[in-house]
Amino acid sequence: MATEKPTNWRGMAVVGALMLGAFAFNTTENLPIGILKLISDDLGRSLSAIGLLVSGYGLTVAVISVPIAKVTRSVPRRLVLCALLAALFLASLVAATVPSYWALLAGRVVTAVAQALFWAVMGPVAVGLFPPRVRGRVIGALSVGGSLALVVGVPGGTWLGQHTSWQLPFLVVGALAIPSLIVIATALPTSHPEEGHAARGVAPDTRRFAVVLAVTALTVTGAFAGYTYISNFLVDEAGFAESTVSTLLLVLGVTGIVGVAVYGQLLDRFPRATLTLPVTTQTVALLGLYTAGTSQTVAVIMLMFLGASLGPVFMATQSRVMHVAPGRTETAVAANSAAYNSGVAAGALTGSLLLPLFGARGTFLVGGLLTAAALLLLLEEQFLSLGREARWTGLGGARKGGGMIAGP
């Protein structure tokens, strides 16, 4: 029996539901950051123990992403997504209603596992509902949903927790999984994972795939080596008052959403540029903060450059790995997600080691150099690719002309 073909409104409804799910998962992941002390005081645990709720979450996603994508590769995607959203809701419910650190930690682990698989299957499912020519725009829309978590979700959850209790934000964010689950259960067509144009890479290439993963790991490690201590830098180096830091971080978040929205519209037309350009601006931002960030004007400009780079880089690499995936696209996306979360952990660790030795400025120097290395790797890959394309074009022209060409 032929697979049911989605109508346009159903495809848009599913994308909207996936955006909401991405927002809920990303908000849940980072929610403890804003209410760390509230949880610590209520459960009688140290701040470092509560901090494990964030670092342990990212580590779980990094470790489990590829294995769980492979284990579930034959399960229908509607069933997988509904199960993951149900897990998000139930884990949030348990974490918020059982007054125990271990219950909260268990809920976080379950949610992290669910998020790892959600990110792996979300892109291929959404892209498969639309023609290949709009793949980049679909990825861009999903990325906007995830990016809103840091600008709206975490600040909103922090405010709610401060005015009520730390449990309520978990309940509210977990409840967002319900409408997303309902829409996916009713609007997503029944299909098997191997069906459709989004199941495998358009131009499989193991070497290019490895380069994209390396770019993801280097850029994220570089970004978070400095970004983890951005508040320290803004106050101690740039001379901003502590009361203005939240506003400056909001500026960073808003420019991130704008960047994702703009680059998302260009991914299909300029796939190389939409990865190279944000990696370049991230390099400029990190090195600019190191060299001239003591000027408040320069610091704000570089902060905007950084915000406009972080989200687009990950969005572009997600789109790229789906294009060059040597196997199934969900496994490729899972590997990129693992590289991202590993980069977050490695960046935070790198920054923590550098901070007492070189101060906050030093973390941005190292972060900028790591991102510059990613840029060089990316430019080298693109140069080699253009060279191969030129060779094949010349080879085709020579053959059409009847000439003989020596060599490969």
Side-chain angles (χ1 to χ4, degrees), residues 79-101:
L79 176 60
V80 167
L81 288 169
C82 288
L84 298 177
L85 291 165
L88 171 60
F89 171 72
L90 294 174
S92 300
L93 184 65
V94 169
T97 56
V98 179
S100 162
Y101 172 80

Side-chain angles (χ1 to χ4, degrees), residues 18 76-89 118 121 177 180-186 188:
L18 292 173
R77 281 353 196 178
R78 183 165 67 179
L79 176 60
V80 167
L81 288 169
C82 288
L84 298 177
L85 291 165
L88 171 60
F89 171 72
F118 184 85
V121 303
S180 183
L181 188 157
I182 292 172
V183 171
I184 289 172
T186 55
L188 182 62

Side-chain angles (χ1 to χ4, degrees), residues 76-156:
R77 281 353 196 178
R78 183 165 67 179
L79 176 60
V80 167
L81 288 169
C82 288
L84 298 177
L85 291 165
L88 171 60
F89 171 72
L90 294 174
S92 300
L93 184 65
V94 169
T97 56
V98 179
S100 162
Y101 172 80
W102 295 110
L104 180 57
L105 182 60
R108 297 283 294 172
V109 171
V110 170
T111 307
V113 172
Q115 179 171 331
L117 185 55
F118 184 85
W119 277 105
V121 303
M122 174 180 67
V125 165
V127 165
L129 298 174
F130 296 89
R133 67 178 182 275
V134 297
R135 171 176 290 195
R137 275 176 277 178
V138 175
I139 296 295
L142 297 177
S143 298
V144 169
S147 299
L148 281 171
L150 294 178
V151 181
V152 178
V154 175

Side-chain angles (χ1 to χ4, degrees), residues 324-397:
V324 300
R328 293 276 289 272
T329 51
E330 67 265 22
T331 304
V333 171
N336 199 47
S337 180
Y340 178 91
N341 283 278
S342 298
V344 172
L349 176 60
T350 300
S352 68
L353 295 175
L354 293 171
L355 189 65
L357 298 175
F358 306 106
R361 284 187 67 202
T363 65
F364 284 97
L365 172 61
V366 173
L369 292 176
L370 287 170
T371 309
L375 179 60
L376 291 175
L377 185 63
L378 188 61
L379 291 174
E380 180 188 24
E381 187 275 327
Q382 292 182 358
F383 177 78
L384 292 175
S385 297
L386 290 173
R388 284 195 303 272
E389 290 173 6
R391 286 179 62 193
W392 280 110
T393 300
L395 180 62

Side-chain angles (χ1 to χ4, degrees), residues 263 266-267 269-281 312 316 320 378 382:
Y263 280 111
L266 302 174
L267 270 175
R269 296 173 59 193
F270 309 104
R272 286 195 176 103
T274 46
L275 178 54
T276 306
L277 186 56
V279 173
T280 302
T281 54
R320 192 66 179 159
L378 188 61
Q382 292 182 358

Side-chain angles (χ1 to χ4, degrees), residues 3-4 25 39 47 96 126 177-178 189 215 221 244 253 299 312 329 333 347-348 357 382 384 393:
T3 302
E4 184 181 357
F25 271 114
I39 302 174
L47 287 175
I178 300 302
V215 168
T221 302
T244 64
T329 51
V333 171
L357 298 175
Q382 292 182 358
L384 292 175
T393 300

